[in-house]
Structures are given as structure tokens and as C-alpha cells.
């Protein structure tokens, strides 16, 4: 039996099916609630139950402490309704966000290609178009695994029914080795999405600096292509960090974009270069960015997506160069390994 969920302070009302979480019900009806891990471990989706009763589900005591449970709080990603419920959520208004209902879509793998020795590119033709904002991600359902895996969309929205995923191999992982070894052209796969609040803040009308590393290039690629396609004339700089030239994928495409668009600059950075013929930047992206910007980042918007160590170093550099939290945006979905980490969410920042 369906129950009614009312969300304060927005006044949105959604229908929740038996066994469905509050978060899933809201997102599938185009109503945004803050969230991140979707597994009851990070606490981002914590809400207060004002009226009615919920089943807390499998919420961890780290993310939802005993005192919070007693005070009537729950995690929207694990809680299910017992009867009609009214909750209060901490929802920030984002004028650049589109509240797109998430949905399940099946598709067929039409191409696979090793983009680097450890990053697999998968192209899937969906049965219907997926509406999304460049920078968002989807959940990819892997046969034989209970939980889907989150991957950023590497294509821009204009590609229609065809989506691209860049899947980095995690050697001691579970799902990515299976995907690398077993997925083949012709396979049918289900995806769910779109998810995430990582997209260009167009209303800011500020120059953009992107930092990408590893398969974290996916979102910046999508965002940059979308901005350039839609006539953006603001300066756009991409710092692309890789260990060596083998790991530097899509470099030719970005160099071509740099020639075509006066406002786009591509700066690849190799941290472990052994090629004497390499004429580009060597070292770490944060140090190269500080050098090229003369340690002055104020007046820009920064978007980061990549390994945690790289992102943390870049955030530190940006803040030292007078760019602060409200101007720095990071991707906020988690791998299964992250779910068991004690660094799921920074205690210092709300949005980073």
C-alpha cells in the first residue's frame, strides 16, 4: 500500500510504495533530497521525521547516532514508511539544478575499447534517451552483484540514446575486474539515473578550472564538451593529471578543441614521466596550477574529479590561492570501498 511523504520546507508531496526508501521515492518523482552514498553510511541524507513513523532500515550508527534516532531523525536512503510521513530536510536552493526524475533504462553495449591500460570505455545504446545534466552519474547494474556501481557519464547530453562510461580497473575490487573481463558488445545492461549535483554553475558566469585524474576525466569531459557546444565563451582550463602518457587518454581530442576554441586551454600533467621527448608539464596538477595561475585563483569556479589525494591537494592549493568552498565543486558519489572508509565525508566542509 502506498503512503504519502510530505517534505518540508519545500512542501513537495510524493507517493512512497511499500518497501521503497524515502530517497528513492523522491528522486523517482523529480524531487531532490541531499544524498551521497545511498547505503546508510555517510549521513548526507539525514532528515527529521516531524509526523508519522518510519522504519530506519540498515542505517549505520556512525551516520545516524543513537541520540539522533531518539530525536526522530532517519536516513532517507535507508528509511521506509510505516504510514503517512512528514519530514524536514536541509535542502539548499540551487538555481542551476534541474530536478530530473531518475528512472531505470535498459540498453545494449555497442562498443568497448581500452582507453588506457587500466581504463575501459563502454558505449551503451539505451532503449530511450536519458535526460541528464553534464557532470551527473548513473548506477550501472552488474550481473551477479547485489549493488549497482556508480559511473560518471563521459558523454555530453546531445549524444541522444548513446552514453559513454569510463571504468577504471580496481585490482582488488569486485565489480570492475568482472566488467573489464566479461562485458562484451551485444550485452544487455540496465542503468539507473541520473544522479548527482555535479554540474557547471552557469548562473555564476565565471571562468572555469577543471582538475581531472584517472577515470575522473569522465565528468569534466562531458561538462566541457557541453559548455563548448552550447556557445560558452568564458575561459575554460582543464588540468588533466596522469602518471605517464599511456594513462593520458583523450589528449588528442582536447588538443583539437584547444585549436578550435579560443577560450579553452588543455594542460596535461605527467607525474611519472620517463619520455625525454615529452614537452608538457611534469609533476602534480596542484603545483602546476599554482605556477600557471601565479597562486591566484580568485574569480574562478573550480570543478574537481579524480583520486582523493589529487583532489585534496588541489583543494588546498585553490584555497591557498584565495578560492574558497562555495567556488569549489567536487563529485560526491562513492565506490564500494569508500563505504568502509572513515573519510566518507569531510567534517570541515558542507559542499566539498
Amino acid at each position: 500500500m502506498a503512503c504519502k511523504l510530505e517534505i518540508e520546507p519545500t512542501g513537495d508531496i510524493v507517493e512512497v510504495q511499500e518497501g521503497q526508501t524515502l530517497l528513492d521515492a523522491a528522486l523517482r518523482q523529480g524531487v531532490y533530497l541531499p544524498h551521497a552514498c545511498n547505503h546508510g553510511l555517510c549521513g548526507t541524507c539525514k532528515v527529521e521525521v516531524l509526523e508519522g513513523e518510519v522504519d530506519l532500515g540498515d542505517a549505520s550508527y556512525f551516520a545516524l547516532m543513537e541520540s539522533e534516532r531518539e530525536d526522530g531523525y532517519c536516513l532517507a536512503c535507508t528509511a521506509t514508511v510505516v504510514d503517512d510521513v512528514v519530514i524536514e530536510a536541509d535542502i539548499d536552493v540551487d538555481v542551476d539544478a534541474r530536478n530530473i526524475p531518475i528512472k531505470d533504462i535498459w540498453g545494449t553495449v555497442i562498443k568497448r575499447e581500452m582507453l588506457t591500460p587500466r581504463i575501459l570505455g563502454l558505449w551503451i545504446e539505451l532503449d530511450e534517451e536519458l535526460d541528464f545534466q553534464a557532470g551527473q552519474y548513473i548506477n550501472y547494474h552488474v550481473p551477479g552483484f547485489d549493488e549497482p556501481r556508480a559511473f560518471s557519464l563521459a558523454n555530453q547530453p546531445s549524444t541522444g540514446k548513446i552514453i559513454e562510461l569510463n571504468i577504471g580497473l580496481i585490482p582488488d575490487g569486485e565489480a570492475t575486474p568482472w566488467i573489464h573481463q566479461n562485458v562484451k558488445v551485444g550485452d544487455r545492461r540496465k542503468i539507473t539515473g541520473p544522479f548527482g549535483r555535479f554540474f557547471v554553475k552557469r548562473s555564476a558566469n565565471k571562468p572555469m578550472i577543471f582538475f581531472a585524474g584517472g577515470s575522473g576525466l569522465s565528468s569534466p569531459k562531458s561538462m566541457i564538451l557541453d559548455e563548448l557546444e552550447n556557445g560558452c565563451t568564458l575561459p575554460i582550463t582543464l588540468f588533466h593529471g596522469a602518471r605517464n602518457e599511456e594513462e593520458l587518454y583523450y589528449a588528442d581530442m582536447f588538443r583539437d578543441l584547444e585549436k578550435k576554441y579560443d577560450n579553452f586551454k588543455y594542460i596535461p600533467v605527467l607525474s611519472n614521466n620517463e619520455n625525454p621527448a615529452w614537452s608538457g608539464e611534469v609533476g602534480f596538477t596542484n603545483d602546476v596550477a599554482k605556477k600557471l595561475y601565479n597562486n591566484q585563483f580568485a574569480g574562478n569556479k573550480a570543478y574537481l574529479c579524480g583520486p582523493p589525494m589529487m583532489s585534496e591537494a588541489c583543494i588546498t592549493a585553490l584555497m591557498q590561492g584565495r578560492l574558497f568552498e562555495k567556488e569549489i565543486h567536487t563529485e560526491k558519489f562513492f565506490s564500494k570501498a569508500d563505504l568502509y572508509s572513515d573519510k566518507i565525508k569531510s567534517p570541515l566542509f558542507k559542499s566539498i
Side-chain angles (χ1 to χ4, degrees):
M1 182 179 71
C3 293
K4 183 178 71 173
L5 168 66
E6 183 175 343
I7 302 167
E8 297 294 345
T10 63
D12 290 304
I13 297 176
V14 300
E15 190 174 87
V16 188
Q17 300 300 320
E18 184 177 356
Q20 186 179 29
T21 67
L22 309 186
L23 179 63
D24 187 68
L27 295 180
R28 286 184 183 274
Q29 292 168 69
V31 177
Y32 176 73
L33 288 176
H35 62 283
C37 79
N38 295 336
H39 294 282
L41 293 167
C42 74
T44 304
C45 65
K46 191 178 301 176
V47 297
E48 182 180 3
V49 179
L50 302 178
E51 297 178 21
E53 183 181 353
V54 301
D55 183 330
L56 297 180
D58 191 23
S60 81
Y61 281 86
F62 170 80
L64 187 67
M65 294 183 292
E66 186 64 44
S67 60
E68 293 174 316
R69 296 167 190 247
E70 293 173 357
D71 289 341
Y73 288 86
C74 71
L75 300 185
C77 73
T78 63
T80 55
V81 293
V82 175
D83 52 18
D84 290 346
V85 170
V86 179
I87 62 171
E88 184 169 11
D90 183 14
I91 303 174
D92 291 329
V93 175
D94 188 338
V95 297
D96 296 294
R98 294 176 54 217
N99 288 331
I100 305 170
I102 65 168
K103 55 184 176 180
D104 303 316
I105 306 177
W106 282 86
T108 303
V109 177
I110 59 172
K111 179 183 176 183
R112 59 166 286 152
E113 176 186 339
M114 293 305 300
L115 301 172
T116 78
R118 57 168 298 275
I119 298 176
L120 170 67
L122 280 186
W123 285 260
I124 302 173
E125 185 171 3
L126 301 176
D127 294 349
E128 60 180 284
E129 287 192 19
L130 174 70
D131 188 15
F132 72 98
Q133 289 184 263
Q136 291 188 297
Y137 69 93
I138 55 91
N139 280 338
Y140 176 93
H141 296 264
V142 187
F145 294 84
D146 293 335
E147 299 291 341
R149 297 305 192 263
F151 297 114
S152 297
L153 291 154
N155 57 290
Q156 63 273 37
S158 64
T159 58
K161 293 182 179 181
I162 297 175
I163 64 170
E164 177 190 348
L165 308 177
N166 298 165
I167 301 173
L169 177 65
I170 302 174
D172 57 351
E174 297 175 351
T176 59
W178 190 96
I179 294 170
H180 274 239
Q181 295 166 16
N182 294 282
V183 175
K184 60 185 183 299
V185 171
D187 284 349
R188 294 281 291 169
R189 290 289 180 268
K190 183 174 80 171
I191 63 101
T192 303
F195 295 99
R197 273 324 216 214
F198 189 57
F199 41 75
V200 171
K201 308 296 182 179
R202 288 176 173 166
S203 64
N205 197 38
K206 291 182 178 181
M208 290 161 267
I209 309 172
F210 290 87
F211 294 88
S215 58
L217 181 64
S218 302
S219 291
K221 172 178 175 283
S222 174
M223 297 158 83
I224 291 167
L225 289 175
D226 189 48
E227 288 304 299
L228 294 176
E229 277 187 6
N230 283 283
C232 176
T233 57
L234 293 167
I236 301 173
T237 302
L238 169 62
F239 289 94
H240 181 189
R243 286 177 294 223
N244 50 55
E245 285 182 89
E246 273 193 316
E247 296 288 342
L248 198 66
Y249 70 110
Y250 280 125
D252 289 341
M253 182 197 75
F254 286 118
R255 291 186 180 110
D256 289 341
L257 289 174
E258 191 174 32
K259 294 174 183 176
K260 183 177 179 181
Y261 296 96
D262 292 337
N263 61 317
F264 176 64
K265 189 170 184 61
Y266 173 58
I267 304 171
V269 183
L270 302 184
S271 62
N272 190 29
N273 177 55
E274 296 180 352
N275 180 7
W278 172 256
S279 59
E281 297 289 345
V282 176
F284 297 105
T285 50
N286 55 301
D287 292 328
V288 172
K290 287 172 69 175
K291 178 184 71 174
L292 296 183
Y293 276 81
N294 196 28
N295 201 28
Q296 294 294 322
F297 298 105
N300 293 279
K301 277 280 188 182
Y303 302 88
L304 298 83
C305 189
M309 286 184 64
M310 183 209 80
S311 294
E312 290 169 10
C314 290
I315 290 170
T316 299
L318 290 167
M319 296 186 78
Q320 289 173 343
R322 310 301 294 172
L323 194 70
F324 300 116
E325 181 186 358
K326 67 178 182 178
E327 309 295 352
I328 301 172
H329 306 278
T330 60
E331 197 165 42
K332 291 194 189 73
F333 68 78
F334 303 95
S335 71
K336 188 173 182 181
D338 293 324
L339 301 181
Y340 304 101
S341 166
D342 60 359
K343 296 182 179 180
I344 283 179
K345 186 177 180 182
S346 169
L348 300 177
F349 304 109
K350 180 176 180 180
S351 62
I352 296 178

